[in-house]
Amino acid sequence: MRNLPYARQDISQDDVDAVVRVLRSDWLTQGPVIGQFEDAVAAYCGARYASAVCNATAALHLACRALDLGAGDLLWTSPNTFVASANCALYCGASVDFVDIDPRTYNLSVDELATKLVRAEKIGRLPKIVVAVHFAGQPCDMEAIGALARRYGFAVIEDASHAIGARESMAAVGSCSHSDVTVFSFHPVKILTTGEGGMLLTNRAEIDAKVKLLRSHGITRDPSLMDEPSHGPWYYQQTELGYNYRITDIQAALGLSQLARLDAFVGRRRMLARNYDLLCGGLPIVLPYQQANVQPSWHLYVVRVPGDGRRTRNEVVANLRENGILVNVHYIPVHTQPYYRKLGFQVGDFPEAERYYDEAISLPMFFGLSEADQDRVAGQLRNILS
Ligand SMILES: *Cc1c(COP(=O)(O)O)cnc(C)c1O
């Protein structure tokens, strides 16, 4: 029987043709397709501006730079995320702290956030940025987080690496209605792919301008953005310390072609999630929580195996993997990573995220997964657990 990964891309003949067209064109990078891809994602999400970059990690870094995060500043995020959601602060010389998760959605808990803000205000250590991660494609309560942002004066970045195509109260994730910036990842395990790639969306013109400058060395060729007069048509001017975080036209062509299938990708994932709910309903495991007014994108379908610490979960993972079902675990709480422990964090600091980690399993979830594959996964779970 074939191995079932937890995630994989789906590449169509149209995707291949779109990439080949760019390979035969005049520009492999910095050509016309990047702008078309940006405009299409911005239109899909209902955001004013979009900037495609080489990956979501770079996008998070640029978002922090554009929001002026620097030494002495604080960024807060969820411990239940990929390390990049926190590392972006350290790149800027700022510090990181975490807000423990909601035991049902596994997103950063808005109650914990509110409590922590009260304490932080008293001691004068409010965050400059909060990174809200839409874990597994379940949108955070952005209205509540946006209200806290206005009350306490912090900026909000949505790390929507899992959540392109998700909706909250009918608004598409990426509209930035309650945030300053939204970031998407186009890594092959995510909802849609460009190989490597990422995008930043914003409704704020000054953030968009800064991101577009910083993604290409802090260099401009636009005389209206220069600090000093142009020397001539060859002239460019560096006005900031930027990076080479550009995406290529080759990648943008793949992304634009994949975007045409985004609704199909997410629709299929929603069907697969409902089917897992039915197949796993009777098992002694905790299924994903369904929030009201939310349509997740289902990047991950996570079940929890309650047990004594990690032992039961580890046995289930080992058994599934021995049977070719290559499940994964998302996420090792960031504060428990050795690098973060060296910064002063300890096991025990964020108990809800740690308890969750001990019990979580990400079942196979991708566009090409069949109902027969799901029967196999659920059947194996039934064998182990009953
Ligand atoms: C994948 C991921 C990232 C990083 O994305 P890259 O495009 O690989 O840099 C950041 N945050 C979260 C939550 C992710 O899942």
Side-chain angles (χ1 to χ4, degrees):
M1 249 186 299
R2 71 170 179 146
N3 280 346
L4 284 181
Y6 88 91
R8 68 160 287 143
Q9 70 278 11
D10 186 88
I11 302 295
S12 69
Q13 188 59 46
D14 283 350
D15 294 340
V16 173
D17 294 345
V19 170
V20 169
R21 268 197 303 280
V22 169
L23 286 172
R24 299 219 161 103
S25 77
D26 289 340
W27 288 283
L28 299 188
T29 189
Q30 306 313 104
V33 188
I34 294 172
Q36 291 165 21
F37 182 38
E38 291 170 341
D39 290 349
V41 174
Y44 183 94
C45 296
R48 224 166 272 159
Y49 308 102
S51 301
V53 292
C54 54
N55 55 60
T57 304
L60 287 162
H61 183 195
L62 291 180
C64 289
R65 282 283 318 265
L67 291 165
D68 282 327
L69 191 74
D73 292 330
L74 255 174
L75 175 148
W76 290 2
T77 190
S78 168
N80 182 33
T81 187
F82 185 57
V83 291
S85 315
N87 288 344
C88 55
L90 305 182
Y91 296 158
C92 297
S95 301
V96 177
D97 202 355
F98 300 93
V99 179
D100 208 351
I101 63 169
D102 180 295
R104 288 185 309 183
T105 64
Y106 316 140
N107 280 331
L108 159 161
S109 156
V110 175
D111 290 341
E112 285 288 324
L113 175 62
T115 308
K116 196 173 171 104
L117 285 165
V118 170
R119 267 186 278 130
E121 188 175 46
K122 280 194 187 123
I123 60 169
R125 284 294 280 154
L126 283 168
K128 187 161 188 172
I129 296 176
V130 170
V131 177
V133 183
H134 302 312
F135 176 74
Q138 299 271 355
C140 296
D141 184 346
M142 290 311 300
E143 212 173 305
I145 293 169
L148 289 169
R150 283 190 298 280
R151 159 77 180 77
Y152 290 96
F154 57 83
V156 179
I157 299 172
E158 295 176 70
D159 182 344
S161 294
H162 301 181
I164 194 166
R167 289 177 179 275
E168 191 191 6
S169 311
M170 292 323 288
V173 165
S175 68
C176 301
S177 308
H178 304 286
S179 68
D180 298 275
V181 179
T182 300
V183 167
F184 292 132
S185 170
F186 306 130
H187 185 278
V189 298
K190 308 289 164 75
I191 309 267
L192 70 82
T193 192
T194 59
E196 293 275 1
M199 199 174 286
L200 294 95
L201 289 88
T202 184
N203 293 324
R204 293 175 55 187
E206 74 284 10
I207 290 180
D208 179 62
K210 187 104 185 251
V211 165
K212 290 199 161 90
L213 190 65
L214 291 174
R215 77 173 164 182
S216 194
H217 308 280
I219 278 171
T220 182
R221 290 175 183 278
D222 178 352
S224 74
L225 298 176
M226 291 181 186
D227 293 345
E228 290 160 19
S230 171
H231 299 178
W234 65 88
Y235 190 64
Y236 56 83
Q237 194 169 83
Q238 182 181 349
T239 57
E240 296 269 357
L241 182 60
Y243 317 89
N244 182 352
Y245 280 172
R246 296 185 307 245
I247 198 168
T248 65
D249 255 41
I250 304 167
Q251 293 164 303
L254 180 54
L256 188 59
S257 177
Q258 289 248 307
L259 186 67
R261 289 194 294 152
L262 178 55
D263 288 335
F265 284 158
V266 174
R268 176 73 186 155
R269 285 169 180 276
R270 288 186 185 134
M271 275 181 49
L272 292 169
R274 268 198 302 280
N275 197 38
Y276 267 141
D277 287 346
L278 294 174
L279 291 171
C280 299
L283 298 175
I285 54 178
V286 180
L287 303 183
Y289 177 68
Q290 182 58 56
Q291 306 178 78
N293 300 321
V294 159
Q295 287 180 282
S297 54
W298 296 107
H299 165 56
L300 302 172
Y301 186 92
V302 175
V303 298
R304 286 178 74 158
V305 188
D308 43 350
R310 251 170 238 173
R311 200 168 58 87
T312 314
R313 190 276 312 273
N314 289 358
E315 283 168 12
V316 174
V317 168
N319 181 299
L320 290 170
R321 292 186 70 96
E322 277 157 25
N323 286 281
I325 300 167
L326 306 181
V327 292
N328 212 316
V329 173
H330 301 90
Y331 282 99
I332 307 154
V334 178
H335 69 281
T336 68
Q337 292 287 355
Y339 188 84
Y340 279 85
R341 292 212 310 277
K342 270 183 241 152
L343 297 178
F345 293 100
Q346 292 177 357
V347 173
D349 283 349
F350 302 98
E352 204 65 64
E354 294 171 28
R355 209 156 27 241
Y356 159 82
Y357 169 61
D358 288 344
E359 300 179 353
I361 302 179
S362 301
L363 300 185
M365 172 55 96
F366 52 92
F367 182 75
L369 191 72
S370 69
E371 278 79 358
D373 293 331
Q374 291 189 290
D375 285 340
R376 185 178 148 204
V377 174
Q380 195 60 36
L381 278 172
R382 209 171 300 120
N383 283 344
I384 310 162
L385 292 167
S386 56

